[in-house]
């Protein structure tokens, strides 16, 4: 299953995995990346809820931005290699 998901999300993962630099990876980086991604998705959901409740379509823009950031963090945190996680942190 993980290989199938890695293939689906390969355009996103390739951005962070295609570098020839050395990297410094710590397991805590992956954990924090997943937590931050989850928090961004919660923030996006709250933004959508508030935008709908207030009938303000302009509130959708921040929700989309937070949703995209949260999704990328979760994809790299859950499916990415150690190098991809380190590149998200810019650890070299």
């Amino acid at each position: 299953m993980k290989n199938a998901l890695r293939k689906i999300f390969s355009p996103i993962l390739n951005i962070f995995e295609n570098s020839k630099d050395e990297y410094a990876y710590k397991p805590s980086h992956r954990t924090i990346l997943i937590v931050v991604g989850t928090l961004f998705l919660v923030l996006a959901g709250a933004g959508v809820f508030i935008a709908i409740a207030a009938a303000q379509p302009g509130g959708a823009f921040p929700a989309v931005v937070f949703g995209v950031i949260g999704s990328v963090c979760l994809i790299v945190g859950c499916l990415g290699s150690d190098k991809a996680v380190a590149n998200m942190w810019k650890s070299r």
Side-chain angles (χ1 to χ4, degrees):
M1 182 68 172
K2 186 174 181 177
N3 288 333
L5 289 173
R6 282 185 56 84
K7 188 180 243 185
I8 292 169
F9 294 113
S10 65
I12 295 170
L13 293 172
N14 287 339
I15 294 170
F16 298 104
E17 292 176 348
N18 287 340
S19 73
K20 295 179 170 80
D21 297 334
E22 292 184 20
Y23 61 94
Y25 170 76
K26 295 180 184 175
S28 63
H29 289 168
R30 184 178 302 273
T31 304
I32 294 170
L33 193 61
I34 292 171
V35 169
V36 168
T38 303
L39 290 175
F40 269 102
L41 286 179
V42 168
L43 189 58
V48 167
F49 176 75
I50 291 171
I52 291 172
Q56 295 292 325
F61 178 72
V64 169
V65 171
F66 287 128
V68 168
I69 292 170
S71 298
V72 169
C73 287
L74 282 178
I75 289 168
V76 173
C78 293
L79 301 174
S81 65
D82 294 346
K83 187 174 193 174
V85 173
N87 280 336
M88 283 286 285
W89 283 92
K90 298 294 181 200
S91 301
R92 294 187 175 112

